[in-house]
């Protein structure tokens, strides 16, 4: 447990050069130390509207957070959402539990926390475990940023059901995912424009190709319709697609 949490401006941002050189064999993508070292740069250059998404999520989370409940950040990586949320909450007390199965990510998240003292009632707890193994306390906000897509398909619905059960009435789930359109021509169009976005941010065709190969069968996207149908099966009946950029989508779900 890290009491009186505050957040430094940012970690040193190392350039993402993981796939800049040809590889004789492209191994499966994993969140190891190599990825953790360049992850912030990878996010900035690979996720459209990333900063805007975090800013609005932090504002929404602060609006919906209720005293004596928890906020959960599932797949917290370097703590970018935590940083934005702490800044948004200022002196308001809160309890936030953040989980990530990758210890290399959590180490960098810890570096980001505790630079300033904001108040003795603010707490952030970091846990090195998969979201599927978390024991939920009553919550008013749950955030899942680009995390569900890495879980096996069979484990996604059970997790969302447990989240729905943990949320208090009026509670908020923020889910952001890479998606794939149900219609093949539109799916191809969205992928093409995404690769254009990455090229505009300095990635070479070699980097784009090798990263795509590394993520095959590791990141499994679904359609917006599949996500919404699953959310409704889990109990959410108030769902808004609040952010959409080609093959990225953000869902706002109220209990």
């Amino acid at each position: 447990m890290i009491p009186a949490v505050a957040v430094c401006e940012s970690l040193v941002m190392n350039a993402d050069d993981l796939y800049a050189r040809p590889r004789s064999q492209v191994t499966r993508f994993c969140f190891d130390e190599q990825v953790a070292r360049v992850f912030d740069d990878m996010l900035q250059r690979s996720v459209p509207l990333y900063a805007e998404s975090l800013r609005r999520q932090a504002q929404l989370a602060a609006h919906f957070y209720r005293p004596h409940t928890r906020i959960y950040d599932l797949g917290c990586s370097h703590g970018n959402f935590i940083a934005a949320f702490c800044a948004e909450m200022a002196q308001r007390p809160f309890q936030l539990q953040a989980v990530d199965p990758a210890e290399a990510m959590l180490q960098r998240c810890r570096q980001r926390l505790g630079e300033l003292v904001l108040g003795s009632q603010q707490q952030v707890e970091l846990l090195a475990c998969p979201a599927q193994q978390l024991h939920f306390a009553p919550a008013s906000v749950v955030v899942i940023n680009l995390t569900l897509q890495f879980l096996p398909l069979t484990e996604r619905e059970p997790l969302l059901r447990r989240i729905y059960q943990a949320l208090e009435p009026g509670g908020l789930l923020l889910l952001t995912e890479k998606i794939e359109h149900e219609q093949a021509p539109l799916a191809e169009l969205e992928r093409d424009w995404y690769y254009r976005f990455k090229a505009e941010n300095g990635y070479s065709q070699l980097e784009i190709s090798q990263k795509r190969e590394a993520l095959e069968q590791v990141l499994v996207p679904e359609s917006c319709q599949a996500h919404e149908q699953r959310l409704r099966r889990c109990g959410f009946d108030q769902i808004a697609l609040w952010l959409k950029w080609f093959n990225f989508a953000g869902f706002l779900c109220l209990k």
Side-chain angles (χ1 to χ4, degrees):
M1 183 78 71
I2 304 173
V5 167
V7 183
C8 61
E9 285 296 316
S10 65
L11 297 173
V12 175
M13 190 177 292
N14 299 304
D16 176 16
D17 58 357
L18 293 183
Y19 298 97
R21 289 166 292 282
R23 299 187 178 194
S24 57
Q25 182 179 6
V26 178
T27 57
R28 289 165 64 92
F29 183 90
C30 66
F31 293 97
D32 57 14
E33 177 56 38
Q34 282 190 317
V35 169
R37 179 181 62 84
V38 302
F39 195 60
D40 276 341
D41 186 53
M42 183 183 291
L43 286 172
Q44 295 291 339
R45 296 165 62 199
S46 300
V47 181
L49 303 176
Y50 182 67
E52 171 67 10
S53 176
L54 282 183
R55 183 181 301 113
R56 302 308 171 195
Q57 286 183 61
Q59 293 171 349
L60 285 163
H63 177 77
F64 278 90
Y65 180 77
R66 296 294 175 261
H68 312 300
T69 68
R70 288 228 184 123
I71 174 170
Y72 287 96
D73 182 5
L74 306 184
C76 63
S77 64
H78 284 189
N80 293 326
F81 169 77
I82 301 172
F85 179 70
C86 288
E88 194 65 36
M89 290 294 283
Q91 297 294 329
R92 289 172 57 192
F94 65 83
Q95 287 188 312
L96 187 153
Q97 196 167 64
V99 304
D100 201 293
E103 182 57 38
M105 291 292 184
L106 286 181
Q107 286 178 4
R108 291 174 183 269
C109 189
R110 292 186 191 102
Q111 293 173 27
R112 180 164 278 164
L113 302 178
E115 292 294 317
L116 301 170
V117 175
L118 292 182
S120 61
Q121 297 185 72
Q122 295 190 336
Q123 296 178 331
V124 174
E125 184 178 9
L126 303 181
L127 295 177
C129 76
Q132 308 94 298
Q133 297 178 11
L134 186 64
H135 297 287
F136 289 96
S140 52
V141 180
V142 178
V143 177
I144 313 178
N145 271 326
L146 304 169
T147 297
L148 201 68
Q149 61 201 30
F150 289 103
L151 303 187
L153 287 169
T154 56
E155 297 181 15
R156 299 179 186 185
E157 187 161 328
L159 174 61
L160 288 172
R161 286 187 182 279
R162 292 176 56 232
I163 289 169
Y164 181 83
Q165 292 165 3
L167 280 170
E168 297 284 288
L172 171 70
L173 167 65
L174 291 170
L175 173 65
T176 305
E177 287 281 282
K178 190 176 181 182
I179 60 167
E180 184 166 87
H181 203 281
E182 287 186 324
Q183 297 174 299
L186 288 174
E188 184 177 358
L189 175 71
E190 291 188 338
R191 281 194 299 270
D192 288 347
W193 252 250
Y194 177 51
Y195 298 148
R196 176 179 291 194
F197 168 85
K198 295 186 76 170
E200 290 169 350
N201 282 335
Y203 285 116
S204 68
Q205 290 306 309
L206 174 67
E207 289 175 290
I208 293 170
S209 174
Q210 291 191 142
K211 176 74 173 293
R212 180 175 64 241
E213 185 177 347
L215 284 170
E216 239 176 272
Q217 304 306 313
V218 176
L219 189 165
V220 181
E222 299 178 89
S223 67
C224 280
Q225 293 87 339
H227 280 291
E228 184 168 340
Q229 289 167 8
R230 181 189 293 117
L231 288 163
R232 292 192 184 280
R233 288 197 302 269
C234 292
F236 293 100
D237 57 6
Q238 300 179 74
I239 303 170
L241 181 64
W242 78 274
L243 186 71
K244 175 73 167 66
W245 187 98
F246 291 104
N247 56 345
F248 284 81
F251 298 89
L252 186 160
C253 314
L254 295 180
K255 179 173 180 177

